[in-house]
Amino acid sequence: MPVGRRRKIPHTGRMVSASYTSDQGIGQPVRRKEDMRFIQGRGRYVDDLGQARDYQAAFLRSPHAHAEIKSIDIAAAARRPGVIAVYLGTDMERDGVGPLPCTWAIAGRDGKAMAEPPHPALCVTRVRHVGDPVAVVIARTSAIAADALDLIEVDYEPLPAVSDTARALDETAPQIWDEAPGNLCCDWEIGDETATAAAFDNAAHVVEIELQNNRLAACPMEPRAARAAYDPGDSRYTLFTTSQIPHGVRAMLCHLILHIPETDLRVVSPDVGGGFGTKIFLYSEETVLTWASAKLDRPVAWRAARAESFLIDAQGRDHVTRAEMAFDTDGRILGLRVSTIANIGAYLSQAGAAIPTTYYAQVLSGVYRIPAIHARVRLAFTNTACVDAYRGAGRPEATYVLERLLDKAACELAIDRLDLRRLNFIPGDAFPYETPLGLTYDSGDHHGTLERALTAIDFNGFAARREASKKKGLVRGIGFSTYLEIAGGVPSRVYQSLGTRGGRHEAADVRVHPSGAVTVFAGTHSQGQGHETAFAQIVADRLGLRVKDVSVVQGDTDRVHFGCGTVASRSLVIGGSAIVRALDKVIDKSTRLAAHALEANAGDIEVEHGTFRVTGTDRKIGFREIAAMAYSAADLPDDDPEPGLVASAFYDPENWTYPGGCHACEIEIDPDTGVIEITRIVAVDDVGNLINPMIVEGQIQGGLAQSVGQALFEHVRYEPASGQLQTGSYMDYAMPRADTMPALEVHHHGTICTHNPLGAKGCAEVGTVGLPPAIVNAALNALSDIGVEHLEMPLTSEQIWRAIRDARIGADPSEECSDV
């Protein structure tokens, strides 16, 4: 890096460097500054923070999916040498500890509030899924605690269980909660049912489809962990936890569970090894440890085994959907009608009611002009782990419905599938575009992303490649998905009207040091997204600094005064915008200081990348000089004598951002074995302005890899009769591997977000939204000549082989198939 020129600071005589270069700012592929400590093994995760004096916790979990607890005998466990304490749910109840909360409430079609049964941290009278915690052992070592679990005797009375989403609302299904008759949490709707019915009455064609969206486990590299301590000297708790939202965890624990002031709890979330949504939520383990640390006056730690994670971490997807689309004689969409049963597990997780409603049904218009839409979503309790946000969180499910339906419609209407999409795209001159479901899209270019994807994947050469595959005895297909999602958030007042118990604004503090270095205190929190680099680039670009001169503090409620954390691809578009607002304040004061130093009016100062210049002259001063002035009382103007250069700001978004794009996939299938190979994946995405293209590409590639997992391999399965988890390890839960992944080709075709100061749209989840239907559509395209018309995710070789066999011999296509 070239050495900057040296300037004399007015009045002080000290010298500093002006070192900004254009490769440091917004739009540049700066290498992630945080990666060096990670690749050297110097990351600091929760499990690295333990101390020798910590007690260790282990949880006794239910072996039954549904059972009454008749009695629990802990005497033998409590006598085991090295055991410090054994606690039950009744102990927590006596101390007034509240249940785990649901923080987003919805109302049904009839206006009634959703059923919200209590979720105790430790079960007292009944367990409702395998893995439900019933006791905690706290001991001097984790081995002693685990051994003592075997000494606890629980008398269970097993009850019938239901784990299957489609069966959960049947009249004959076992009842899970008295508070939720028929296992129905809520019968919710969105859209105009009457107008939609009229559209179907006037339709020339109606196309129907029934789909399942397979349940997924998040599987972050770092399992969940927690360490809680209590200081009797100041009556304060400290919780170290693997959380995406440390301030949210503090608020829930203080206000709703422990009933203590927020000032009495510090939550620290250090480096976090992946989250994908499952680390948003407050779980039993963090709650129990925080409470127990005060009872024992000693730190208590816990880390999940991977087998525990499969049992207890919030999972994703798991929808059963029937959808219909109405068309006129030319193929224009007239209406969409969707009915979905969404599995929410045994308990309502914090956003469990929001994901299959607001985050799913509200985006069912996608990239298309659909005059009338009505969606009904029934949330069903089952004897399974909670279902909540998993990367994409509702938007992949909506896109899957639309894009599978569009391909089926093209076949039935005998219209080219790409032409059908082009005919129904929202045109570029229609923005801002208001959907019938209440969203207002501000920008987009759906024709442009599709055409660029066709070029990138060489669609014109596909026929030749298909013929080459045929000569090898293989069948080749190509599939597309044109998608749109919501990312970031809407104004807090709108969130509250939707039922969430809190806002979605974000905070940032910018502290300029006398040297000119800057520390940013961000309310968001990274789990691998590269915040330390991207946020530093924003600051470097505005203030004329190097990225290495900017430090980012996150994940500590004592150091960062407020934050809503990292969810829904909000960190850059909302957290980054809060940083911009704080920088505006820093620059405003710096402009006044520059005017004083240059003996000019503040209105005559122009600012570019940290250089403050008197308009029309060569008189200028750099930001580092101004930073030094700000802390020198002798250099301050008489009318603004307060030293320092520090600013705080909040940002409340005006609207969602609306990323979109086109994902294309090309595959080969061996019809003799059903083995599928993905040969090409092309993603063309519109995520607005790019702060760091390299980070964006990595984020999108990660989502694409998880899409391959959902489409081909992953499926959380429970045994239907007993509710036992059948995919409780990586021996049974298949994940994509390097040898199953093609090169992931990412292209950008951006339109600017019109309502945030960065012009950016969320990017972290787009990879999971568009690709799954493209993969399934490609498989069906490959098998179309054989007569296969329907497949479900995951596309296992056995399922494909059976579908080919059934199509060839005319067997009953409903023959039971185990997609192992």
Side-chain angles (χ1 to χ4, degrees):
M1 181 179 296
V3 177
R5 295 190 294 112
R6 300 182 70 82
R7 299 190 184 114
K8 185 176 181 181
I9 301 175
H11 312 298
T12 67
R14 288 173 293 164
M15 308 297 290
V16 294
S17 296
S19 50
Y20 173 78
T21 57
S22 60
D23 63 353
Q24 297 281 292
I26 290 175
Q28 300 303 312
V30 178
R31 289 188 177 183
R32 297 189 353 161
K33 58 188 296 186
E34 53 267 64
D35 283 354
M36 188 56 68
R37 72 173 184 270
F38 294 140
I39 63 177
Q40 293 178 341
R42 295 177 179 174
R44 296 285 287 168
Y45 300 91
V46 169
D47 203 33
D48 297 323
L49 304 178
Q51 299 178 9
R53 66 187 300 268
D54 292 355
Y55 291 151
Q56 303 295 322
F59 289 84
L60 182 68
R61 303 188 182 280
S62 169
H64 303 286
H66 199 194
E68 293 284 350
I69 299 174
K70 309 302 288 184
S71 64
I72 304 177
D73 185 350
I74 63 173
R79 290 194 300 267
R80 202 280 194 200
V83 170
I84 305 302
V86 181
Y87 294 123
L88 304 176
T90 50
D91 299 310
M92 301 185 76
E93 285 185 341
R94 278 193 296 270
D95 283 359
V97 178
L100 303 181
C102 174
T103 56
W104 195 313
I106 61 173
R109 305 170 71 192
D110 57 4
K112 294 182 180 179
M114 67 184 187
E116 190 177 353
H119 185 179
L122 295 174
C123 298
V124 176
T125 60
R126 185 181 290 197
V127 293
R128 290 177 169 84
H129 70 88
V130 175
D132 234 355
V134 298
V136 61
V137 173
I138 298 173
R140 297 189 182 279
T141 70
S142 56
I144 293 173
D147 287 346
L149 294 180
D150 294 334
L151 301 177
I152 299 176
E153 295 185 4
V154 184
D155 181 10
Y156 292 105
E157 182 180 322
L159 299 170
V162 59
S163 60
D164 182 66
T165 306
R167 182 172 167 258
L169 300 181
D170 289 353
E171 292 183 1
T172 57
Q175 180 74 29
I176 300 172
W177 291 100
D178 293 338
E179 296 92 332
N183 299 325
L184 181 65
C185 171
C186 191
D187 186 350
W188 182 91
E189 68 177 349
I190 191 172
D192 189 327
E193 187 173 16
T194 301
T196 304
F200 276 82
D201 290 341
N202 295 323
H205 307 280
V206 173
V207 178
E208 302 178 0
I209 198 167
E210 294 186 2
L211 299 167
Q212 296 180 21
N213 207 290
N214 43 321
R215 179 186 278 233
L216 304 176
C219 300
M221 186 177 295
E222 176 203 26
R224 289 194 302 109
R227 177 181 182 268
Y230 180 74
D231 184 346
D234 58 8
S235 301
R236 288 196 86 210
Y237 299 84
T238 299
L239 172 65
F240 296 91
T241 180
T242 51
S243 176
Q244 299 176 218
I245 57 164
H247 290 82
V249 167
R250 182 182 67 174
M252 287 183 281
L253 277 171
C254 291
H255 296 313
L256 302 175
I257 298 176
L258 299 178
H259 311 294
I260 60 176
E262 282 192 2
T263 51
D264 287 355
L265 173 62
R266 177 191 183 192
V267 176
V268 180
S269 185
D271 289 328
V272 177
F276 311 126
T278 197
K279 291 180 181 174
I280 296 171
F281 317 113
L282 176 65
Y283 292 88
S284 295
E285 293 76 25
E286 298 94 322
T287 303
V288 172
L289 262 62
T290 306
W291 165 77
S293 67
K295 293 188 74 67
L296 299 174
D297 191 16
R298 191 78 166 261
V300 184
W302 166 84
R303 68 205 58 81
R306 186 63 70 176
E308 276 186 296
S309 298
F310 277 109
L311 285 172
I312 63 176
D313 287 1
Q315 298 167 351
R317 315 292 193 253
D318 205 346
H319 286 192
V320 174
T321 295
R322 182 178 183 275
E324 307 170 90
M325 190 169 275
F327 295 86
D328 68 11
T329 55
D330 296 322
R332 289 185 174 84
I333 303 172
L334 300 178
L336 173 67
R337 189 157 49 201
V338 176
S339 177
T340 293
I341 300 175
N343 191 334
I344 59 172
Y347 305 96
L348 271 169
S349 181
Q350 272 98 65
I355 302 307
T357 53
T358 297
Y359 283 84
Y360 160 68
Q362 197 174 21
V363 296
L364 280 168
S365 188
V367 297
Y368 306 109
R369 291 177 295 181
I370 307 178
I373 302 175
H374 180 260
R376 180 188 183 191
V377 181
R378 287 174 289 169
L379 278 60
F381 286 112
T382 62
N383 295 113
T384 64
C386 294
V387 181
D388 207 309
Y390 169 67
R391 196 172 191 174
R395 291 91 82 195
E397 297 94 308
T399 301
Y400 190 69
V401 170
L402 281 173
E403 295 306 297
R404 289 291 310 279
L405 196 49
L406 260 291
D407 260 34
K408 186 176 183 184
C411 182
E412 293 188 12
L413 274 58
I415 300 175
D416 179 87
R417 53 188 167 158
L418 300 177
D419 288 341
L420 184 62
R421 286 172 168 82
R422 293 183 182 111
L423 178 66
N424 288 286
F425 278 155
I426 301 164
D429 59 5
F431 294 100
Y433 176 82
E434 186 170 349
T435 77
L437 299 178
L439 298 177
T440 300
Y441 303 161
D442 64 312
S443 64
D445 181 11
H446 309 311
H447 287 278
T449 54
L450 173 59
E451 299 310 318
R452 187 162 179 185
L454 293 173
T455 299
I457 205 166
D458 184 22
F459 184 60
N460 290 336
F462 172 69
R465 296 192 297 275
R466 178 175 245 179
E467 188 62 27
S469 296
K470 185 176 180 180
K471 291 178 181 179
K472 297 186 295 182
L474 307 175
V475 292
R476 179 177 287 260
I478 191 168
F480 301 91
S481 170
T482 48
Y483 77 93
L484 176 142
E485 67 140 330
I486 54 175
V490 292
S492 294
R493 65 181 185 279
V494 177
Y495 263 106
Q496 289 163 1
S497 72
L498 294 172
T500 184
R501 294 156 180 166
R504 285 299 181 269
H505 49 292
E506 195 50 80
D509 296 338
V510 173
R511 181 181 301 165
V512 180
H513 304 281
S515 65
V518 173
T519 301
V520 174
F521 298 84
T524 57
H525 187 38
S526 174
Q527 308 96 53
Q529 294 93 334
H531 294 182
E532 293 176 46
T533 303
F535 289 167
Q537 284 181 255
I538 296 171
V539 176
D541 192 84
R542 295 291 301 279
L543 301 183
L545 303 174
R546 298 166 298 182
V547 165
K548 71 176 185 179
D549 295 327
V550 183
S551 300
V552 176
V553 174
Q554 55 185 349
D556 186 335
T557 61
D558 270 12
R559 300 187 68 190
V560 180
H561 75 278
F562 178 85
C564 287
T566 292
V567 300
S569 301
R570 69 186 301 274
S571 292
L572 180 67
V573 297
I574 302 181
S577 294
I579 293 171
V580 171
R581 290 280 175 84
L583 287 170
D584 289 341
K585 296 180 181 181
V586 168
I587 291 172
D588 182 61
K589 180 170 182 177
S590 297
T591 300
R592 298 195 303 272
L593 293 174
H596 174 67
L598 298 171
E599 298 179 341
N601 293 322
D604 294 332
I605 301 296
E606 59 186 24
V607 186
E608 183 178 13
H609 300 307
T611 297
F612 296 74
R613 178 181 287 104
V614 179
T615 303
T617 75
D618 62 355
R619 295 159 57 204
K620 57 188 178 182
I621 186 172
F623 179 72
R624 288 182 181 271
E625 289 100 324
I626 291 172
M629 286 178 56
Y631 289 91
S632 174
D635 295 329
L636 296 174
D638 293 338
D639 59 352
D640 194 2
E642 183 176 358
L645 200 50
V646 179
S648 298
F650 282 81
Y651 180 78
D652 201 12
E654 295 180 20
N655 192 2
W656 295 104
T657 68
Y658 298 98
C662 177
H663 291 175
C665 175
E666 194 164 326
I667 59 101
E668 276 188 329
I669 295 175
D670 183 338
D672 293 331
T673 63
V675 172
I676 182 171
E677 179 185 358
I678 299 177
T679 61
R680 292 281 303 278
I681 289 175
V682 168
V684 178
D685 300 292
D686 172 6
V687 294
N689 271 343
L690 308 183
I691 305 303
N692 185 315
M694 182 178 66
I695 289 177
V696 170
E697 183 173 358
Q699 286 285 288
I700 293 173
Q701 287 180 335
L704 295 173
Q706 287 173 298
S707 283
V708 171
Q710 174 167 22
L712 299 188
F713 304 108
E714 299 181 49
H715 194 174
V716 174
R717 292 179 178 275
Y718 291 87
E719 201 281 320
S722 67
Q724 291 294 323
L725 180 65
Q726 296 177 314
T727 51
S729 76
Y730 290 129
M731 294 293 290
D732 303 298
Y733 187 83
M735 297 276 283
R737 304 180 304 182
D739 61 353
T740 59
M741 295 294 298
L744 302 173
E745 304 171 42
V746 176
H747 304 265
H748 302 291
H749 185 85
T751 61
I752 304 303
C753 177
T754 62
H755 53 75
N756 70 55
L758 292 167
K761 306 177 184 182
C763 74
E765 296 172 278
V766 297
T768 63
V769 176
L771 186 58
I775 294 174
V776 178
N777 287 342
L780 290 170
N781 178 251
L783 300 172
S784 58
D785 289 344
I786 297 175
V788 176
E789 297 180 350
H790 186 76
L791 294 167
E792 295 282 9
M793 297 187 294
L795 301 178
T796 62
S797 57
E798 181 182 353
Q799 182 194 178
I800 293 173
W801 180 84
R802 287 181 181 272
I804 292 171
R805 182 203 63 179
D806 292 346
R808 282 177 169 170
I809 67 175
D812 181 2
S814 65
E815 179 181 344
E816 183 178 353
C817 171
S818 175
D819 303 340
V820 297

